[in-house]
Amino acid sequence: MNITVVGLGLIGGSFCKSIKKNTNHTVFGIDNDKNVIKKALESGAIDKEITPKQLNQSDVIIICLYVGQTIEFISQQINNFSKRSIVCDACGLKIEIVKKVDDLLFDAGINFVGLHPMAGKELSGFNNSTKDLFYEANAILTKTKLTKDYAIYEIKNLLKLIGFTNIIITDAKTHDKIITFTSQLAHIVSSSYIMSPTSKLSEGFTGGSFQDLTRVSYMNSKMWSELFLKNKTNLLYELNNIINNLLDYKKAIEQQDQDALSNLIKKGSLIKKKFM
């Protein structure tokens, strides 16, 4: 099978490397940065660079760009995709992409499967991509009423081969709602926490809790700001929830209400216990 990865950053580069490590598939690469293409070829992450006009050689296309860029790329290159090929986006939001490209691809005889690998690092770019980034990671596939079962089957099998162990299939609306809580809110909380003036005095005083909470505060500002704004309604709902919870803690501490404080701690602990 011929697989093309568009955008060879952290995620795209890791897809290339993990596919080459774990399968016999041929991997093509597309990236605007020729230095990245050179590194990908020299490292064996891709077999060949192709142009968008050569996309008709591909059975599967995995697009690892920002949301707006993904929509633009699909819209501009739709006539270059081969019939019955499978196009996947690897974005962190799905509703907007589905609205813009699902019907378009279906009418052209091309399959579309939303793909969200639940794996990453604080650092971005091809240089930080690895062949094992997806090992034992979760992945989410999104489908619509137009999605063909065989397309889901093919992508699910590919993901298993390259290391994903838990693959969830859902719809775009459910994906965006839950991912707001499990990913986007966590990044905002981490960023807000590290902004404390006390962070400048923390050297030598940090432990696991500090490292855990601040790991995702280092973000790609362009990508994450786009994701936050395009998911405004879901994100505001989750932000209001956490603000109210923090206000409950603040009130209990201000009033020196140990019973209320203890109950809040117990409530959070019990909820976390369900995930363990």
Side-chain angles (χ1 to χ4, degrees):
M1 184 160 67
N2 291 338
I3 301 173
T4 293
V5 178
V6 182
L8 306 185
L10 172 66
I11 299 300
S14 295
F15 267 118
C16 293
K17 292 175 181 178
S18 57
I19 292 169
K20 290 304 298 179
K21 175 188 175 184
N22 296 291
T23 78
N24 293 319
H25 299 316
T26 300
V27 179
F28 301 141
I30 295 178
D31 196 285
N32 289 333
D33 190 330
K34 295 303 177 184
N35 287 327
V36 168
I37 289 292
K38 182 181 178 182
K39 290 177 183 178
L41 287 167
E42 289 175 347
S43 66
I46 62 174
D47 296 291
K48 179 182 176 182
E49 177 191 13
I50 64 168
T51 67
K53 290 184 178 180
Q54 296 172 299
L55 281 165
N56 59 4
Q57 301 174 19
S58 305
D59 304 295
V60 173
I61 301 98
I62 303 173
I63 303 172
C64 303
L65 304 173
Y66 299 160
V67 173
Q69 293 173 335
T70 296
I71 293 169
E72 181 180 6
F73 184 87
I74 291 173
S75 301
Q76 291 180 348
Q77 307 303 332
I78 192 163
N79 292 327
N80 291 323
F81 299 133
S82 64
K83 301 294 183 183
R84 291 178 60 79
S85 62
I86 303 172
V87 173
C88 301
D89 78 281
C91 295
L93 285 178
K94 299 304 179 191
I95 291 176
E96 178 142 346
I97 294 174
V98 166
K99 285 180 179 178
K100 298 291 177 63
V101 307
D102 195 34
D103 287 330
L104 196 66
L105 289 168
F106 181 80
D107 291 342
I110 302 159
N111 298 283
F112 175 62
V113 176
L115 164 59
H116 188 180
M118 300 305 296
K121 292 182 179 180
E122 306 91 279
L123 303 175
S124 59
F126 181 81
N127 287 341
N128 295 298
S129 64
T130 71
K131 60 186 178 182
D132 298 316
L133 184 66
F134 307 130
Y135 179 68
E136 294 188 342
N138 296 333
I140 305 168
L141 297 180
T142 59
K143 58 185 295 187
T144 73
K145 65 182 188 307
L146 302 179
T147 308
K148 300 286 180 58
D149 288 340
Y150 83 86
I152 292 287
Y153 175 83
E154 290 289 344
I155 300 304
K156 187 176 181 179
N157 281 346
L158 175 63
L159 295 182
K160 287 181 178 179
L161 286 174
I162 62 177
F164 289 97
T165 52
N166 186 31
I167 301 168
I168 303 296
I169 299 172
T170 187
D171 59 87
K173 183 177 180 180
T174 301
H175 169 276
D176 287 6
K177 177 178 174 58
I178 299 177
I179 217 70
T180 308
F181 173 71
T182 61
S183 178
Q184 292 188 0
L185 182 65
H187 282 76
I188 288 177
V189 170
S190 180
S191 177
S192 301
Y193 173 78
I194 201 67
M195 288 180 191
S196 168
T198 312
S199 66
K200 292 180 288 187
L201 307 173
S202 64
E203 185 176 355
F205 288 79
T206 63
S209 55
F210 177 86
Q211 299 300 331
D212 289 344
L213 188 53
T214 60
R215 184 182 67 81
V216 294
S217 61
Y218 190 76
M219 289 183 274
N220 179 323
S221 60
K222 182 178 180 181
M223 181 186 78
W224 282 102
S225 60
E226 180 188 42
L227 292 173
F228 293 158
L229 292 176
K230 290 184 182 299
N231 199 29
K232 175 182 174 180
T233 301
N234 286 326
L235 195 49
L236 287 176
Y237 170 80
E238 293 297 345
L239 282 170
N240 284 328
N241 281 339
I242 198 166
I243 288 169
N244 289 335
N245 291 333
L246 288 171
L247 288 173
D248 286 341
Y249 266 100
K250 181 174 182 285
K251 180 180 177 181
I253 293 169
E254 284 177 340
Q255 297 180 355
Q256 292 188 300
D257 189 339
Q258 187 169 358
D259 288 340
L261 195 55
S262 180
N263 286 334
L264 286 168
I265 294 169
K266 288 178 182 177
K267 181 180 179 181
S269 296
L270 286 171
I271 292 172
K272 172 60 179 176
K273 188 176 181 180
K274 295 179 181 178
F275 292 93
M276 296 175 68

